[in-house]
Amino acid sequence: MTSSVAAAAQEEASAAAAYDVFAAFYDDFTEHQDYDWWWSALLPLAEAAGLPGTRVLDVACGTGKSLGPLLARGWSAVGTDASGAMLAQARRKLGPAVPLVEHDMRDLPVLGNFDLISCLNDALNNVRDEQQLVATFAGFRRNLAPGGVVVFDVNTIRTFRTYGALVVQEPGRVLIAEGRDSDGDFEPGALLRVDFTMLERGDDHAWSGAHSSHLQRHHPDADVRRALSAAGLEFVAVHGQLMFDIGELDELRDEKAVYVARAPREEPEGGERR
């Protein structure tokens, strides 16, 4: 095994292990997120890009919160995530009818022929460099029907620079997330370590804790567009999102950059996909 392959494998194991620890707390930590509203804003963007149908592959589906609103709209869906513990939470939420499979998004096999691939809630910021971003987008491409659409978001430079410490308190439970910029002055394309501490009070009133760390990379717009092109996807649009408003992207104002891309409407000669 080469050093680069070994490093990638170690990263995969580390990321999955971190989310395994976080899985039982994830829904509490993201309780403020309204996926029904989000899809009401994202689906028109996908439709404007030529969305051909209602088959979705949700990559990094986590605990299944992002799939619920699409299932309620009558979509057929498959979810995939690198964390078995996150998928176990999704299974309890979505029931047995929705296929859920464990895969790292940087090495997706062909799981179907989908009209839409979604990858939401800054999951792509867990991809460490542009080479891995190309590999991830190539996996999307392999799973798209001709003209199929991709919708994903990444955190902006503003989000990385203002991450700070977030605290969520529930009865008998405390969650703390703290961003740690080792350089002290976060620059575009840099890595941020986010430390999660989860405390829970048991029936005996004693507190127990768990800890996980996540590395996230800021992806500059030029890197994202270049990676999409290298993977055989057509860039369609990028939008900025600040809370419940989606408009023109401003990295210093918005919290997220929301991208729309698509597969070519006709397969390349020979029918091969990247």
Side-chain angles (χ1 to χ4, degrees):
M1 181 179 291
T2 66
S3 59
S4 60
V5 172
Q10 186 176 9
E11 287 177 8
E12 289 181 15
S14 175
Y19 276 97
D20 282 347
V21 172
F22 192 30
F25 300 84
Y26 184 84
D27 284 352
D28 286 342
F29 188 75
T30 59
E31 186 178 14
H32 61 287
Q33 293 170 343
D34 186 344
Y35 278 95
D36 191 55
W37 172 87
W38 209 1
W39 277 119
S40 73
L42 296 179
L43 284 177
L45 301 181
E47 290 164 358
L51 181 67
T54 56
R55 299 164 297 175
V56 62
L57 174 64
D58 191 24
V59 178
C61 68
T63 64
K65 292 179 66 174
S66 51
L67 275 176
L70 291 180
L71 294 170
R73 287 167 166 84
W75 283 60
S76 62
V78 174
T80 181
D81 200 278
S83 166
M86 294 286 272
L87 289 174
Q89 296 289 330
R91 174 64 63 217
R92 283 190 278 272
K93 190 182 282 105
L94 301 176
V98 179
L100 299 173
V101 289
E102 187 174 335
H103 290 292
D104 188 278
M105 62 183 169
R106 291 166 290 192
D107 190 26
L108 277 182
V110 175
L111 298 171
N113 201 36
F114 297 93
D115 303 301
L116 175 67
I117 290 181
S118 55
C119 189
L120 300 178
N121 203 19
D122 63 62
L124 278 165
N125 289 114
N126 290 292
V127 174
R128 305 288 178 82
D129 56 41
E130 191 175 336
Q131 182 179 3
Q132 291 185 12
L133 201 58
V134 173
T136 301
F137 290 155
F140 293 178
R141 174 73 183 87
R142 286 191 292 272
N143 282 279
L144 280 172
V149 175
V150 180
V151 176
F152 61 89
D153 71 278
V154 292
N155 285 338
T156 61
I157 196 71
R158 173 207 166 156
T159 297
F160 280 95
R161 288 177 175 172
T162 61
Y163 201 101
L166 304 174
V167 180
V168 178
Q169 292 179 289
E170 301 282 344
R173 178 178 286 186
V174 179
L175 300 92
I176 304 167
E178 186 174 5
R180 298 184 182 276
D181 175 12
S182 60
D183 295 330
D185 184 17
F186 195 88
E187 296 295 333
L191 285 168
L192 181 77
R193 192 182 91 213
V194 183
D195 292 333
F196 289 92
T197 301
M198 294 142 282
L199 303 173
E200 195 163 25
R201 187 170 56 196
D203 294 338
D204 59 357
H205 301 289
W207 288 84
S208 61
H211 179 84
S212 69
S213 293
H214 304 230
L215 276 178
Q216 290 206 340
R217 180 180 185 257
H218 172 258
H219 296 298
D221 180 63
D223 290 9
V224 174
R225 297 195 195 202
R226 191 164 50 243
L228 287 169
S229 178
L233 292 169
E234 301 173 359
F235 167 82
V236 175
V238 61
H239 306 273
Q241 180 173 338
L242 179 61
M243 298 185 68
F244 295 103
D245 180 57
I246 294 180
E248 185 177 351
L249 175 64
D250 183 337
E251 280 263 357
L252 298 179
R253 177 199 64 204
D254 295 314
E255 297 169 322
K256 291 182 177 294
V258 177
Y259 284 86
V260 182
R262 67 179 167 225
R265 290 186 172 87
E266 295 181 1
E267 292 295 338
E269 188 174 346
E272 294 182 1
R273 298 185 186 183
R274 302 189 185 194

